[in-house]
Amino acid sequence: DTGVMKLKMCHPQTGIEMLRTVETSQASAIQRAGRAGREAPGEVFRLYVESDYHKMPVQTPAEILRCEMASVYVSLKALGISKVSSFPLVDRPPREALEKAAHFLCRIGALDTKDALTDLGRKLATLPVHPLYAYCLHVSLEFECTAEILSIVAMMSADAQIFTSSRKQREGPQQAKPFHHEDGDHLSLLSAFGRWRKQKNRKAFAAENSLSHSALEKAENIRNQLKERLQQVWNANISSCGEPKNWVVVRRCLLKGLFLQTARRDEVNQTSYRTLLSRQEAKLHPSSVLHRRQPPPSCVVYSELVVTSKSYLRTVTEVNPAWLPELCPKFFGG
């Protein structure tokens, strides 16, 4: 037991997710020791002195104190809680986190200026995914590519690594994988999922193509749940834009749905990007299919901005900058 752990937390002011190496808690240390004796007698070796153990926090901070609050906020609103900041939660999140969540929900039209839930907000609250992904599904109805966005949202909501690789593959020369789409990661996920679903022996296909079968199964379960909700609650028609040659429609839909998460390439430092609304600087994550593109795309949408040793944009797709004022005139009309 090293005495440290990686903890995912969200900065309350900026909303940026950070993966921080922090001191473990006493409760976590006890739980780690339990792993050694789960099936047979074992030993645990702690790589720190006993006095350090007693200085550790007793418990790991509750997740609600370190997570992004938009999902919680819209759920409480849907339950009829008029003032979320006054709701007696067991662990009260930072005021800044609640304010940022309300501001975000207002921008996508889920809340009005009086902090009341709109008709769109009530609609988004019926889906068991983050409000931004629910908003993407709402936008997909307009672009008639709901089947494709359902798959992408399910893959991103699975919270699991879809593309896998052995140590030999990681250390060997970089080669393009069969599902990697030149326009970005969202379309690569869509391509892999679509091909996997068509197979008779899905498990063998996943193993042969360095895909995680369990992650894909989880994504399919999520997709089925979301599809059922859209049909029964939203009374939506699950339309498709068709073959991959038509996926420019999917990219336009992603831009309108993820408009809060767009970034432009820095004209001076060609490998760096600046997010258009929050003005954060970040680079494309090394795992992105666009990471080695030369020249790098001038404008992208991303699913995550994470901070480890550096700031990275993860799950990124190229978009045309000319689409910004066309599809999102309220925010990029100038």
Side-chain angles (χ1 to χ4, degrees):
D1 176 9
T2 60
V4 295
M5 61 181 174
K6 284 190 174 180
L7 199 64
K8 200 172 187 179
M9 52 185 69
C10 183
H11 194 287
Q13 280 86 23
T14 63
I16 295 174
E17 285 194 329
M18 300 171 286
L19 195 61
R20 288 278 175 86
T21 300
V22 299
E23 188 178 48
T24 189
S25 64
Q26 292 180 20
S28 182
I30 292 168
Q31 194 270 341
R32 286 177 175 188
R35 293 178 194 168
R38 182 168 292 162
E39 295 183 0
E43 295 181 29
V44 59
F45 295 89
R46 289 181 170 153
L47 307 183
Y48 46 90
V49 296
E50 190 173 353
S51 59
D52 284 346
Y53 171 81
H54 294 296
K55 293 175 185 176
M56 290 176 176
V58 177
Q59 298 285 345
T60 304
E63 188 175 359
I64 198 170
L65 301 178
R66 50 187 173 85
C67 73
E68 203 269 333
M69 289 295 295
S71 295
V72 176
Y73 201 103
V74 77
S75 295
L76 288 174
K77 279 290 182 182
L79 289 170
I81 309 301
S82 58
K83 196 170 183 182
V84 174
S85 58
S86 302
F87 189 73
L89 293 164
V90 176
D91 294 294
R92 191 177 294 275
R95 179 177 54 83
E96 297 92 338
L98 291 173
E99 288 177 353
K100 186 177 187 310
H103 187 55
F104 158 76
L105 292 168
C106 196
R107 276 182 156 178
I108 65 171
L111 292 178
D112 62 21
T113 53
K114 296 180 180 178
D115 196 42
L117 206 61
T118 62
D119 289 341
L120 175 59
R122 277 184 282 276
K123 192 177 179 182
L124 302 185
T126 62
L127 297 184
V129 291
H130 190 280
L132 188 61
Y133 293 160
Y135 182 70
C136 272
L137 287 167
H138 167 72
V139 171
S140 74
L141 301 175
E142 172 191 340
F143 286 86
E144 297 185 348
C145 60
T146 307
E148 288 77 17
I149 297 298
L150 264 174
S151 298
I152 291 171
V153 167
M155 298 274 271
M156 293 191 294
S157 301
D159 197 25
Q161 191 74 27
I162 303 295
F163 298 109
T164 62
S165 57
S166 65
R167 183 175 179 178
K168 184 179 179 181
Q169 288 172 317
R170 287 193 298 270
E171 293 177 352
Q174 291 288 326
Q175 294 180 338
K177 293 189 177 180
F179 309 112
H180 282 183
H181 195 286
E182 62 178 3
D183 289 328
D185 303 319
H186 297 91
L187 302 187
S188 297
L189 289 171
L190 180 58
S191 175
F193 188 67
R195 289 276 298 279
W196 173 82
R197 291 181 80 199
K198 292 177 181 177
Q199 304 303 312
K200 288 184 178 179
N201 190 340
R202 293 177 172 182
K203 195 168 187 178
F205 178 82
E208 288 169 11
N209 292 280
S210 300
L211 299 173
S212 169
H213 179 68
S214 59
L216 288 162
E217 279 191 320
K218 184 178 180 182
E220 185 174 46
N221 288 333
I222 293 171
R223 188 186 190 279
N224 290 338
Q225 287 182 48
L226 291 174
K227 182 180 177 181
E228 188 177 319
R229 289 287 183 97
L230 289 183
Q231 291 174 323
Q232 295 182 0
V233 182
W234 287 20
N235 196 26
N237 178 37
I238 310 301
S239 53
S240 170
C241 65
E243 300 178 4
K245 65 181 181 181
N246 300 326
W247 284 359
V248 64
V249 176
V250 177
R251 289 165 57 210
R252 285 170 62 84
C253 178
L254 285 171
L255 174 59
K256 188 164 184 178
L258 298 174
F259 73 93
L260 290 168
Q261 297 181 178
T262 49
R264 291 289 292 264
R265 188 184 67 212
D266 191 307
E267 293 303 323
V268 178
N269 182 359
Q270 294 282 303
T271 62
S272 184
Y273 286 78
R274 184 179 290 274
T275 61
L276 292 180
L277 294 178
S278 60
R279 314 304 293 171
Q280 304 288 327
E281 286 193 13
K283 294 179 180 290
L284 300 183
H285 195 272
S287 65
S288 173
V289 300
L290 300 177
H291 178 63
R292 295 176 183 273
R293 167 87 74 81
Q294 291 299 329
S298 61
C299 187
V300 297
V301 291
Y302 61 91
S303 290
E304 280 186 294
L305 197 167
V306 294
V307 179
T308 51
S309 56
K310 298 177 182 177
S311 297
Y312 289 111
L313 305 178
R314 292 187 66 173
T315 316
V316 179
T317 290
E318 181 180 14
V319 293
N320 187 336
W323 296 344
L324 290 166
E326 177 195 348
L327 300 176
C328 312
K330 183 178 177 182
F331 294 94
F332 305 112

